[in-house]
Amino acid sequence: MMAASNAPTAKSSVQGARRRCPKAQRRKARLRNRRILRLGVQVLFFVLAPGLFSGALSGVKYIAGNIGGLQPVELTSFVLLLIALVASTVALGRFFCGYACAFGLLGDVVYGVSSKLRSLLRIPQLPFPAPLVRGLQLVKYAILTAICVLCFFGAYDAAASCSPWTAFASLIAGSTEGVRSAAFILLGIVVCAMMLRERFFCQFLCPMGALFALLPVLPFSSLDRDSRNCPRSCGQCRKRCPVSIWPERGRFGAGECIDCGACALGCPIDNIGVVRIEQRPARRKPRLLLTGTGWGTVIVKALLLLLACWLVGALRFVPSPAELLPFGLPWMLS
Amino acid sequence: MRLREIAERYGNFALKGVNLALVVAAVVGFSTWATAANDADAKTAEQIAAAKRAASRGPYANDGVYEGSAKGYGGTVTMRVTIADGYIDKVEQVDVGHEDEAWLKMCQGIPDKIVKAQSPDVDTVSGATFTSTGMINAVKKAIAAEEKGQ
């Protein structure tokens, strides 16, 4: 979401007129509605499965640790959860990151509140030049590698008690016993950083984000633009993107996309979507079939992810498959 | 050029797909090897235990074949225990009453576990508690019979 410019300049009357035109108003309303839908889904997942990211990360750590200890990797519940989230990312894109991750929700809330405060107090946003963004986005891969290496050599336990996720999970669980204060200090630092830029943690620090960014996303779930139609020097999509990428699924940086839909919802010519059919004759503009940002898509993806989490026994408050199904699931039999 | 277009559009996906496939194959391959290595280690440990057994007499005083029965899930379970040279040599099922196939299958590792531990005090199988408890108690009864020298 774009923060409104605060300093009045000669350009602002033109910008003001652009912002007030009916198409822009509609786009703004669509963006706001999409944000509300996303918040609703995030809260749903927070209630039903707040531990998804930390369970999946535990799966990664278990695998690295067992390989390092020359032990076979068994299908523990954490490994199953990791498989479920990887499968969901390949099929649905990084929907988990944008809609189901509790840490992502924390970041969105923190950023939302702080940017409202910032615009009220007329504090300008910290600039993040593109090379800095690119560089910082690589840090999460280093963090993922460091965690895997530490687990491989069996040295992680010392670091684990300081991790901000442990602190966050203990706050959700309501009991902070056994969590060192260093973890809470780190969590505090991360929360402050979340105020600086939208999805700061997700794009710069999250090891699961690094893992998901390296996964192949099926074309019908990755946002793509037809750059042949783009007006010159527009760049609205990239300007609105919280992770500063172009919505082009062929680019290597496309892995950074967290499926928030701001590009598609903000494109002035509705040129961004996931599925496109070519019209004949080839001269006519190809019609966009599925934008991938509509309520239908979001609800279908949410249900599919909920189903995957339920099948691996990761949902709270819902009877487990063992209780509901007359047959046993092959990965759940001990 | 068509090939260049295809490479541009799907090259990213193909690269990441191959990467994922390689990582999964590596983990599964490693896991298979590690399981085999663990099994080999277990075999060696068994051989060492067998060698130790051949060297001295075991804790059970009376050699022979003893049977014991206990209540399982679907009726009475009868187990036969063979004591040789003071060690538990063999544990076999004689009669399993009306136990269901699926549950029996889950407990099929118990006789081996008892021989390995040289004691009926092994863990029950979760999900098949009554069946496994029946088998274990039947073995305990057989050993009690051995102690009495019957």
Side-chain angles (χ1 to χ4, degrees):
Chain A
M1 287 219 308
M2 265 173 54
S5 101
N6 297 317
T9 62
K11 269 168 79 177
S12 60
S13 57
V14 173
Q15 282 178 352
R18 275 205 208 113
R19 275 197 282 268
R20 282 189 292 274
C21 88
K23 209 170 171 197
Q25 298 283 52
R26 271 204 304 276
R27 247 202 312 282
K28 206 167 160 189
R30 278 207 327 254
L31 204 62
R32 196 191 59 231
N33 290 342
R34 177 58 131 70
R35 181 64 118 191
I36 293 171
L37 171 65
R38 187 165 126 198
L39 187 65
V41 175
Q42 282 176 304
V43 167
L44 178 71
F45 273 94
F46 185 76
V47 167
L48 289 181
L52 290 179
F53 77 89
S54 89
L57 183 60
S58 298
V60 172
K61 293 189 275 184
Y62 164 82
I63 293 175
N66 272 32
I67 293 179
L70 295 181
Q71 292 300 314
V73 173
E74 291 177 35
L75 286 179
T76 66
S77 48
F78 288 152
V79 171
L80 287 171
L81 184 56
L82 176 64
I83 292 174
L85 293 189
V86 166
S88 137
T89 302
V90 169
L92 311 174
R94 284 176 66 181
F95 180 80
F96 165 76
C97 292
Y99 287 77
C101 178
F103 230 59
L105 173 61
L106 175 70
D108 282 345
V109 166
V110 164
Y111 182 77
V113 165
S114 69
S115 63
K116 277 266 144 56
L117 273 176
R118 198 192 310 117
S119 59
L120 278 176
L121 298 172
R122 299 187 172 257
I123 302 173
Q125 180 151 18
L126 206 65
F128 274 85
L132 179 67
V133 170
R134 291 281 158 264
L136 286 177
Q137 281 174 349
L138 294 177
V139 171
K140 58 182 186 287
Y141 298 98
I143 293 179
L144 175 65
T145 311
I147 291 178
C148 288
V149 165
L150 282 175
C151 289
F152 185 87
F153 289 111
Y156 189 75
D157 288 322
S161 50
C162 300
S163 92
W165 302 283
T166 315
F168 184 55
S170 74
L171 286 174
I172 298 177
S175 142
T176 59
E177 259 185 54
V179 186
R180 288 171 44 182
S181 42
F184 288 105
I185 295 175
L186 264 179
L187 181 63
I189 295 176
V190 167
V191 167
C192 289
M194 284 169 170
M195 298 188 218
L196 299 176
R197 184 178 159 88
E198 188 173 356
R199 290 274 164 164
F200 184 96
F201 177 80
C202 304
Q203 55 179 309
F204 298 146
L205 299 177
C206 183
M208 292 309 295
L211 194 148
F212 292 139
L214 293 173
L215 294 176
V217 173
L218 291 170
F220 56 76
S221 292
S222 48
L223 288 162
D224 197 37
R225 65 172 178 156
D226 190 349
S227 45
R228 295 173 296 188
N229 301 329
C230 291
R232 255 199 304 196
S233 59
C234 169
Q236 277 299 305
C237 50
R238 195 181 175 290
K239 285 194 199 123
R240 289 164 183 274
C241 177
V243 296
S244 305
I245 60 168
W246 293 100
E248 287 171 17
R249 66 169 76 106
R251 287 190 182 226
F252 204 69
E256 297 289 332
C257 170
I258 53 167
D259 206 25
C260 72
C263 54
L265 291 163
C267 175
I269 56 170
D270 289 330
N271 192 29
I272 300 175
V274 293
V275 173
R276 209 175 240 112
I277 52 169
E278 303 286 334
Q279 305 269 47
R280 288 172 189 268
R283 255 174 282 133
R284 272 176 69 189
K285 191 174 109 167
R287 187 165 66 85
L288 214 58
L289 189 66
L290 199 66
T291 57
T293 60
W295 282 58
T297 313
V298 169
I299 290 174
V300 165
K301 287 189 179 182
L303 289 174
L304 287 172
L305 183 56
L306 280 173
L307 177 67
C309 293
W310 178 69
L311 285 174
V312 297
L315 288 190
R316 292 181 175 185
F317 309 127
V318 172
S320 70
E323 294 164 30
L324 275 189
L325 297 175
F327 52 87
L329 294 166
W331 52 83
M332 298 285 260
L333 290 173
S334 51
Chain B
M1 269 187 272
R2 283 267 314 161
L3 197 64
R4 176 180 279 238
E5 256 179 45
I6 294 177
E8 259 174 31
R9 268 214 244 150
Y10 301 111
N12 187 20
F13 178 79
L15 200 67
K16 290 181 173 178
V18 166
N19 179 40
L20 179 66
L22 285 176
V23 169
V24 171
V27 171
V28 169
F30 165 82
S31 220
T32 315
W33 168 82
T35 317
N38 273 7
D39 287 344
D41 281 348
K43 254 214 177 110
T44 317
E46 257 176 50
Q47 283 173 351
I48 294 177
K52 236 171 51 173
R53 270 168 51 183
S56 59
R57 208 190 140 74
Y60 296 100
N62 307 307
D63 285 355
V65 178
Y66 303 91
E67 284 187 12
S69 301
K71 187 155 148 350
Y73 189 61
T76 313
V77 177
T78 308
M79 303 289 283
R80 182 183 298 143
V81 178
T82 309
I83 309 273
D85 206 24
Y87 291 101
I88 298 179
D89 197 40
K90 242 189 329 198
V91 174
E92 296 159 298
Q93 282 168 204
V94 174
D95 183 14
V96 289
H98 306 294
E99 298 288 359
D100 288 324
E101 253 321 299
W103 274 257
L104 271 180
K105 239 181 129 173
M106 290 191 70
C107 296
Q108 64 192 11
I110 287 190
D112 282 337
K113 275 203 261 180
I114 292 178
V115 171
K116 210 158 154 200
Q118 286 295 307
S119 153
D121 292 318
V122 295
D123 292 333
T124 54
V125 177
S126 70
T129 320
F130 292 111
T131 308
S132 46
T133 310
M135 286 171 93
I136 290 171
N137 285 347
V139 172
K140 283 186 176 163
K141 283 262 183 69
I143 295 201
E146 173 264 344
E147 278 166 17
K148 291 205 198 115
Q150 289 164 354

Coordinates of all heavy atoms in Angstrom, one line a residue, chain A residues 126-200:
Chain A
L126 N 11.6 6.3 5.7 CA 13.0 6.0 5.5 C 13.2 5.5 4.0 O 12.5 4.6 3.6 CB 13.5 5.0 6.4 CG 15.0 5.0 6.8 CD1 15.3 6.2 7.6 CD2 15.3 3.8 7.7
P127 N 14.0 6.2 3.3 CA 14.2 5.7 1.9 C 15.0 4.4 1.8 O 15.9 4.2 2.5 CB 14.9 6.9 1.2 CG 15.7 7.5 2.3 CD 14.9 7.3 3.6
F128 N 14.6 3.6 0.9 CA 15.3 2.3 0.7 C 15.7 2.3 -0.8 O 14.9 1.8 -1.6 CB 14.4 1.1 1.0 CG 14.4 0.7 2.5 CD1 13.6 1.3 3.4 CD2 15.3 -0.3 2.9 CE1 13.6 1.0 4.7 CE2 15.3 -0.7 4.2 CZ 14.4 0.0 5.1
P129 N 16.8 2.7 -1.2 CA 17.2 2.7 -2.6 C 17.3 1.2 -3.1 O 17.6 0.3 -2.3 CB 18.6 3.3 -2.6 CG 19.1 3.3 -1.2 CD 17.9 3.3 -0.3
A130 N 17.1 1.1 -4.3 CA 17.0 -0.3 -4.9 C 18.2 -1.2 -4.6 O 18.0 -2.3 -4.3 CB 16.7 -0.2 -6.4
P131 N 19.4 -0.7 -4.8 CA 20.5 -1.6 -4.5 C 20.5 -2.1 -3.0 O 20.9 -3.2 -2.7 CB 21.8 -0.8 -4.8 CG 21.3 0.4 -5.6 CD 19.9 0.6 -5.2
L132 N 20.1 -1.2 -2.1 CA 20.0 -1.6 -0.7 C 19.0 -2.7 -0.5 O 19.2 -3.7 0.2 CB 19.7 -0.4 0.2 CG 19.5 -0.7 1.7 CD1 20.9 -1.0 2.3 CD2 19.0 0.5 2.4
V133 N 17.9 -2.5 -1.2 CA 16.8 -3.5 -1.1 C 17.3 -4.9 -1.6 O 17.1 -5.9 -1.0 CB 15.5 -3.1 -1.9 CG1 14.6 -4.2 -2.0 CG2 14.9 -1.9 -1.2
R134 N 17.9 -4.8 -2.8 CA 18.5 -6.1 -3.4 C 19.4 -6.8 -2.4 O 19.4 -8.0 -2.2 CB 19.2 -5.8 -4.7 CG 18.4 -5.4 -5.8 CD 17.6 -6.5 -6.5 NE 16.5 -6.0 -7.2 CZ 15.2 -6.0 -6.7 NH1 15.0 -6.5 -5.5 NH2 14.2 -5.5 -7.3
G135 N 20.3 -6.0 -1.8 CA 21.3 -6.5 -0.9 C 20.7 -7.1 0.3 O 21.0 -8.3 0.7
L136 N 19.8 -6.3 0.9 CA 19.2 -6.8 2.1 C 18.3 -8.1 1.9 O 18.2 -9.0 2.7 CB 18.3 -5.7 2.8 CG 19.0 -4.6 3.4 CD1 18.0 -3.5 3.9 CD2 19.8 -5.1 4.6
Q137 N 17.7 -8.2 0.7 CA 16.9 -9.4 0.4 C 17.8 -10.6 0.4 O 17.2 -11.7 0.5 CB 16.2 -9.2 -0.9 CG 14.9 -8.3 -0.7 CD 14.2 -8.0 -2.0 OE1 14.7 -8.3 -3.1 NE2 13.0 -7.5 -1.9
L138 N 19.1 -10.5 0.2 CA 19.9 -11.7 0.2 C 20.3 -12.1 1.6 O 20.7 -13.3 1.8 CB 21.2 -11.4 -0.6 CG 21.1 -11.1 -2.1 CD1 22.4 -10.8 -2.7 CD2 20.5 -12.3 -2.8
V139 N 20.1 -11.2 2.6 CA 20.5 -11.6 4.0 C 19.7 -12.8 4.5 O 20.2 -13.7 5.2 CB 20.2 -10.4 4.9 CG1 20.4 -10.8 6.4 CG2 21.2 -9.3 4.5
K140 N 18.4 -12.9 4.1 CA 17.6 -14.1 4.6 C 18.2 -15.4 4.1 O 18.1 -16.4 4.8 CB 16.2 -13.9 4.2 CG 15.9 -13.8 2.7 CD 14.3 -13.7 2.6 CE 13.9 -13.7 1.1 NZ 14.3 -12.5 0.4
Y141 N 18.8 -15.4 2.9 CA 19.4 -16.7 2.5 C 20.6 -17.0 3.3 O 20.8 -18.2 3.7 CB 19.9 -16.6 1.0 CG 18.7 -16.3 0.1 CD1 18.4 -15.0 -0.4 CD2 17.9 -17.3 -0.4 CE1 17.3 -14.8 -1.2 CE2 16.8 -17.1 -1.2 CZ 16.6 -15.8 -1.6 OH 15.5 -15.6 -2.5
A142 N 21.3 -16.0 3.8 CA 22.5 -16.2 4.7 C 22.0 -16.7 6.0 O 22.6 -17.7 6.6 CB 23.3 -14.9 4.9
I143 N 20.9 -16.2 6.5 CA 20.3 -16.7 7.8 C 19.8 -18.1 7.6 O 20.1 -18.9 8.5 CB 19.1 -15.8 8.2 CG1 19.6 -14.4 8.5 CG2 18.4 -16.4 9.4 CD1 18.6 -13.4 9.0
L144 N 19.2 -18.5 6.5 CA 18.7 -19.8 6.3 C 19.9 -20.8 6.3 O 19.9 -21.8 7.0 CB 17.9 -20.0 5.0 CG 17.5 -21.4 4.6 CD1 16.5 -21.9 5.6 CD2 16.9 -21.4 3.2
T145 N 21.0 -20.4 5.6 CA 22.2 -21.2 5.5 C 22.8 -21.4 6.9 O 23.2 -22.5 7.3 CB 23.2 -20.6 4.5 OG1 22.6 -20.2 3.3 CG2 24.3 -21.5 4.2
A146 N 22.9 -20.3 7.6 CA 23.5 -20.3 8.9 C 22.8 -21.3 9.9 O 23.4 -22.1 10.6 CB 23.6 -18.9 9.6
I147 N 21.4 -21.2 9.8 CA 20.6 -22.1 10.7 C 20.9 -23.5 10.3 O 21.1 -24.4 11.1 CB 19.1 -21.7 10.6 CG1 18.8 -20.4 11.2 CG2 18.3 -22.8 11.2 CD1 17.4 -19.9 11.1
C148 N 20.9 -23.8 9.0 CA 21.1 -25.2 8.5 C 22.5 -25.7 8.9 O 22.6 -26.8 9.3 CB 20.9 -25.3 7.0 SG 19.2 -25.1 6.5
V149 N 23.5 -24.9 8.7 CA 24.8 -25.3 9.1 C 25.0 -25.5 10.6 O 25.5 -26.5 11.0 CB 25.8 -24.2 8.6 CG1 27.2 -24.4 9.3 CG2 26.0 -24.2 7.1
L150 N 24.4 -24.6 11.4 CA 24.5 -24.8 12.8 C 23.8 -26.1 13.2 O 24.3 -26.9 14.1 CB 23.8 -23.7 13.6 CG 24.6 -22.4 13.7 CD1 23.8 -21.3 14.3 CD2 25.9 -22.6 14.5
C151 N 22.6 -26.4 12.6 CA 21.9 -27.7 13.0 C 22.7 -28.9 12.5 O 22.8 -29.9 13.2 CB 20.5 -27.7 12.3 SG 19.4 -26.6 13.1
F152 N 23.3 -28.7 11.3 CA 24.1 -29.8 10.7 C 25.2 -30.2 11.7 O 25.4 -31.4 11.9 CB 24.7 -29.4 9.4 CG 25.4 -30.4 8.6 CD1 24.7 -31.3 7.8 CD2 26.8 -30.6 8.8 CE1 25.4 -32.3 7.1 CE2 27.4 -31.6 8.1 CZ 26.7 -32.4 7.2
F153 N 25.8 -29.2 12.3 CA 26.9 -29.6 13.2 C 26.5 -29.7 14.7 O 27.3 -29.8 15.6 CB 28.0 -28.5 13.1 CG 28.8 -28.5 11.8 CD1 28.6 -27.5 10.9 CD2 29.6 -29.6 11.5 CE1 29.3 -27.6 9.7 CE2 30.3 -29.6 10.3 CZ 30.1 -28.6 9.4
G154 N 25.1 -29.8 14.8 CA 24.6 -30.0 16.2 C 24.9 -28.9 17.1 O 24.8 -29.1 18.3
A155 N 25.1 -27.7 16.6 CA 25.4 -26.5 17.5 C 24.3 -25.6 17.6 O 24.5 -24.5 18.1 CB 26.7 -25.8 16.9
Y156 N 23.1 -26.0 17.2 CA 22.0 -25.0 17.2 C 21.4 -24.7 18.5 O 20.9 -23.6 18.8 CB 20.9 -25.4 16.2 CG 19.9 -24.3 16.0 CD1 20.2 -23.3 15.2 CD2 18.7 -24.4 16.6 CE1 19.3 -22.3 15.0 CE2 17.8 -23.4 16.4 CZ 18.1 -22.3 15.6 OH 17.2 -21.3 15.4
D157 N 21.4 -25.7 19.5 CA 20.7 -25.5 20.7 C 21.0 -24.2 21.5 O 20.2 -23.6 22.0 CB 20.9 -26.7 21.6 CG 20.1 -27.9 21.0 OD1 19.0 -27.7 20.5 OD2 20.7 -29.0 21.1
A158 N 22.3 -23.9 21.4 CA 22.7 -22.7 22.1 C 22.1 -21.5 21.5 O 21.6 -20.5 22.2 CB 24.3 -22.5 22.0
A159 N 22.0 -21.5 20.1 CA 21.4 -20.3 19.5 C 19.9 -20.3 19.6 O 19.2 -19.3 19.5 CB 21.8 -20.3 18.0
A160 N 19.3 -21.5 19.6 CA 17.8 -21.6 19.6 C 17.1 -20.8 20.6 O 16.1 -20.2 20.4 CB 17.4 -23.1 19.7
S161 N 17.7 -20.8 21.8 CA 17.0 -20.2 22.9 C 17.0 -18.7 22.8 O 16.3 -17.9 23.4 CB 17.6 -20.5 24.3 OG 19.0 -20.4 24.2
C162 N 17.8 -18.1 21.8 CA 17.8 -16.7 21.6 C 17.0 -16.3 20.4 O 16.9 -15.1 20.1 CB 19.2 -16.2 21.3 SG 20.4 -16.5 22.6
S163 N 16.3 -17.2 19.7 CA 15.6 -16.9 18.5 C 14.4 -16.1 18.8 O 13.6 -16.4 19.7 CB 15.3 -18.1 17.6 OG 14.0 -18.6 17.9
P164 N 14.1 -15.0 18.0 CA 12.9 -14.2 18.2 C 11.6 -15.0 17.9 O 10.6 -14.7 18.5 CB 13.1 -13.1 17.1 CG 14.1 -13.6 16.1 CD 14.9 -14.5 16.9
W165 N 11.7 -16.1 17.1 CA 10.5 -16.9 16.9 C 10.0 -17.6 18.1 O 8.9 -17.7 18.4 CB 10.7 -17.9 15.8 CG 11.1 -17.4 14.5 CD1 10.3 -16.7 13.6 CD2 12.4 -17.3 14.0 NE1 11.1 -16.3 12.5 CE2 12.4 -16.7 12.8 CE3 13.6 -17.8 14.4 CZ2 13.5 -16.5 12.0 CZ3 14.8 -17.6 13.7 CH2 14.7 -17.0 12.4
T166 N 11.1 -18.1 18.9 CA 10.8 -18.8 20.1 C 10.1 -17.8 21.1 O 9.1 -18.2 21.7 CB 12.1 -19.3 20.8 OG1 12.8 -19.9 19.8 CG2 11.7 -20.3 21.9
A167 N 10.6 -16.6 21.1 CA 10.0 -15.6 22.0 C 8.5 -15.3 21.6 O 7.6 -15.2 22.4 CB 10.8 -14.3 21.9
F168 N 8.3 -15.1 20.2 CA 7.0 -14.8 19.7 C 6.1 -16.0 20.0 O 4.9 -15.8 20.5 CB 7.1 -14.6 18.2 CG 5.8 -14.2 17.6 CD1 5.1 -13.1 18.1 CD2 5.3 -14.9 16.5 CE1 3.9 -12.7 17.5 CE2 4.1 -14.5 15.9 CZ 3.4 -13.4 16.4
A169 N 6.5 -17.2 19.8 CA 5.7 -18.4 20.0 C 5.3 -18.5 21.5 O 4.2 -18.9 21.8 CB 6.4 -19.7 19.5
S170 N 6.3 -18.2 22.4 CA 6.0 -18.3 23.8 C 4.9 -17.2 24.2 O 4.1 -17.5 25.1 CB 7.3 -18.1 24.6 OG 7.6 -16.8 24.6
L171 N 5.0 -16.1 23.5 CA 3.9 -15.1 23.8 C 2.6 -15.5 23.4 O 1.6 -15.4 24.1 CB 4.3 -13.7 23.1 CG 5.4 -12.9 23.7 CD1 5.7 -11.7 22.8 CD2 5.1 -12.5 25.1
I172 N 2.5 -16.2 22.2 CA 1.2 -16.7 21.8 C 0.8 -17.8 22.7 O -0.4 -17.9 23.0 CB 1.4 -17.3 20.3 CG1 1.8 -16.3 19.3 CG2 0.1 -18.0 19.9 CD1 2.0 -16.8 18.0
A173 N 1.7 -18.7 23.2 CA 1.3 -19.8 24.0 C 1.0 -19.3 25.4 O 0.4 -20.0 26.2 CB 2.5 -20.8 24.1
G174 N 1.4 -18.1 25.8 CA 1.0 -17.5 27.0 C 1.9 -17.9 28.2 O 1.7 -17.6 29.3
S175 N 3.0 -18.6 27.8 CA 4.0 -18.9 28.9 C 5.4 -18.6 28.5 O 5.9 -19.2 27.5 CB 3.8 -20.4 29.3 OG 5.1 -20.9 29.6
T176 N 6.1 -17.7 29.2 CA 7.4 -17.3 28.7 C 8.5 -18.1 29.4 O 9.7 -17.6 29.5 CB 7.6 -15.8 28.8 OG1 7.5 -15.5 30.2 CG2 6.6 -15.1 28.0
E177 N 8.1 -19.2 30.1 CA 9.2 -19.9 30.8 C 10.2 -20.5 29.9 O 9.9 -21.1 28.9 CB 8.5 -21.1 31.6 CG 8.3 -20.7 33.1 CD 7.7 -22.0 33.8 OE1 8.4 -23.0 33.7 OE2 6.6 -21.8 34.4
G178 N 11.4 -20.5 30.3 CA 12.5 -21.1 29.6 C 13.0 -20.4 28.4 O 13.8 -20.8 27.6
V179 N 12.4 -19.2 28.1 CA 12.9 -18.4 27.0 C 13.8 -17.3 27.5 O 13.4 -16.5 28.4 CB 11.7 -17.7 26.2 CG1 12.2 -17.0 25.0 CG2 10.7 -18.8 25.9
R180 N 15.0 -17.2 27.0 CA 15.9 -16.2 27.5 C 15.5 -14.8 27.1 O 14.9 -14.6 26.1 CB 17.3 -16.6 27.0 CG 17.9 -17.8 27.7 CD 19.1 -18.3 27.1 NE 20.1 -17.3 26.8 CZ 21.3 -17.6 26.3 NH1 21.6 -18.9 26.0 NH2 22.2 -16.7 25.9
S181 N 15.9 -13.9 27.9 CA 15.5 -12.5 27.7 C 16.2 -12.0 26.4 O 15.7 -11.1 25.7 CB 15.9 -11.6 28.8 OG 17.2 -11.9 29.3
A182 N 17.3 -12.6 26.0 CA 17.9 -12.2 24.7 C 17.0 -12.4 23.5 O 16.9 -11.6 22.6 CB 19.2 -13.0 24.5
A183 N 16.1 -13.4 23.6 CA 15.2 -13.7 22.6 C 14.2 -12.6 22.5 O 13.8 -12.1 21.4 CB 14.5 -15.0 22.8
F184 N 13.7 -12.1 23.7 CA 12.7 -11.0 23.6 C 13.3 -9.7 23.2 O 12.7 -8.9 22.5 CB 12.1 -10.8 25.0 CG 11.2 -12.0 25.4 CD1 11.6 -12.9 26.3 CD2 9.9 -12.0 24.8 CE1 10.7 -14.0 26.6 CE2 9.0 -13.0 25.1 CZ 9.4 -14.0 26.0
I185 N 14.6 -9.5 23.5 CA 15.3 -8.3 23.0 C 15.3 -8.3 21.5 O 15.0 -7.4 20.8 CB 16.7 -8.2 23.6 CG1 16.5 -8.0 25.1 CG2 17.4 -7.0 23.0 CD1 17.9 -7.9 25.9
L186 N 15.7 -9.5 21.0 CA 15.8 -9.7 19.5 C 14.4 -9.5 18.9 O 14.3 -8.8 17.8 CB 16.3 -11.1 19.1 CG 17.8 -11.2 18.8 CD1 18.2 -12.6 18.5 CD2 18.2 -10.3 17.7
L187 N 13.4 -10.0 19.5 CA 12.0 -9.8 19.0 C 11.7 -8.3 19.0 O 11.1 -7.9 18.0 CB 11.0 -10.6 19.9 CG 9.5 -10.5 19.4 CD1 9.4 -11.1 18.1 CD2 8.7 -11.2 20.4
G188 N 12.0 -7.6 20.0 CA 11.8 -6.2 20.1 C 12.5 -5.5 18.9 O 11.9 -4.6 18.3
I189 N 13.7 -5.8 18.7 CA 14.4 -5.2 17.6 C 13.8 -5.5 16.2 O 13.6 -4.6 15.4 CB 15.9 -5.7 17.5 CG1 16.6 -5.3 18.8 CG2 16.6 -5.2 16.3 CD1 18.1 -5.8 18.9
V190 N 13.3 -6.8 16.1 CA 12.7 -7.1 14.8 C 11.4 -6.3 14.7 O 11.1 -5.8 13.6 CB 12.4 -8.6 14.8 CG1 11.4 -9.0 13.7 CG2 13.7 -9.4 14.6
V191 N 10.6 -6.2 15.8 CA 9.3 -5.4 15.7 C 9.6 -4.0 15.3 O 8.9 -3.4 14.5 CB 8.6 -5.5 17.0 CG1 7.5 -4.5 17.1 CG2 8.0 -6.9 17.2
C192 N 10.7 -3.4 15.9 CA 11.0 -2.0 15.5 C 11.4 -1.9 14.0 O 11.0 -1.0 13.3 CB 12.2 -1.5 16.3 SG 11.8 -1.2 18.0
A193 N 12.1 -2.9 13.5 CA 12.5 -2.9 12.1 C 11.3 -3.1 11.3 O 11.2 -2.5 10.1 CB 13.5 -4.1 11.9
M194 N 10.3 -3.8 11.7 CA 9.0 -3.9 10.9 C 8.3 -2.6 10.7 O 7.5 -2.5 9.7 CB 8.1 -4.9 11.6 CG 8.4 -6.4 11.6 SD 7.4 -7.3 12.7 CE 7.7 -8.9 12.2
M195 N 8.7 -1.6 11.5 CA 8.0 -0.3 11.3 C 8.7 0.5 10.2 O 8.1 1.5 9.7 CB 8.1 0.5 12.6 CG 7.4 -0.1 13.8 SD 7.4 1.1 15.1 CE 7.7 0.0 16.5
L196 N 9.9 0.0 9.7 CA 10.6 0.8 8.8 C 10.1 0.6 7.3 O 10.2 1.5 6.5 CB 12.1 0.5 8.8 CG 12.8 0.7 10.1 CD1 14.2 0.2 10.1 CD2 12.7 2.2 10.5
R197 N 9.7 -0.6 7.0 CA 9.3 -0.9 5.7 C 8.3 -2.0 5.7 O 8.4 -2.9 6.6 CB 10.5 -1.3 4.9 CG 10.3 -1.6 3.4 CD 11.6 -2.0 2.8 NE 11.4 -2.7 1.5 CZ 11.3 -2.1 0.3 NH1 11.3 -0.8 0.2 NH2 11.1 -2.8 -0.8
E198 N 7.3 -2.0 4.8 CA 6.3 -3.1 4.8 C 7.0 -4.4 4.6 O 7.9 -4.6 3.7 CB 5.3 -2.8 3.6 CG 4.2 -3.8 3.7 CD 3.1 -3.5 2.7 OE1 3.2 -2.4 2.0 OE2 2.1 -4.2 2.6
R199 N 6.6 -5.4 5.4 CA 7.1 -6.8 5.3 C 8.6 -6.8 5.4 O 9.3 -7.6 4.7 CB 6.7 -7.4 3.9 CG 5.2 -7.7 3.9 CD 4.9 -9.0 4.5 NE 3.6 -9.2 4.8 CZ 3.1 -10.4 5.1 NH1 3.9 -11.5 5.0 NH2 1.8 -10.6 5.4
F200 N 9.2 -5.9 6.3 CA 10.6 -5.9 6.5 C 11.2 -7.2 6.9 O 12.2 -7.7 6.3 CB 10.9 -4.9 7.6 CG 12.4 -4.7 7.9 CD1 13.0 -3.6 7.3 CD2 13.1 -5.5 8.6 CE1 14.4 -3.4 7.5 CE2 14.5 -5.3 8.8 CZ 15.1 -4.2 8.3

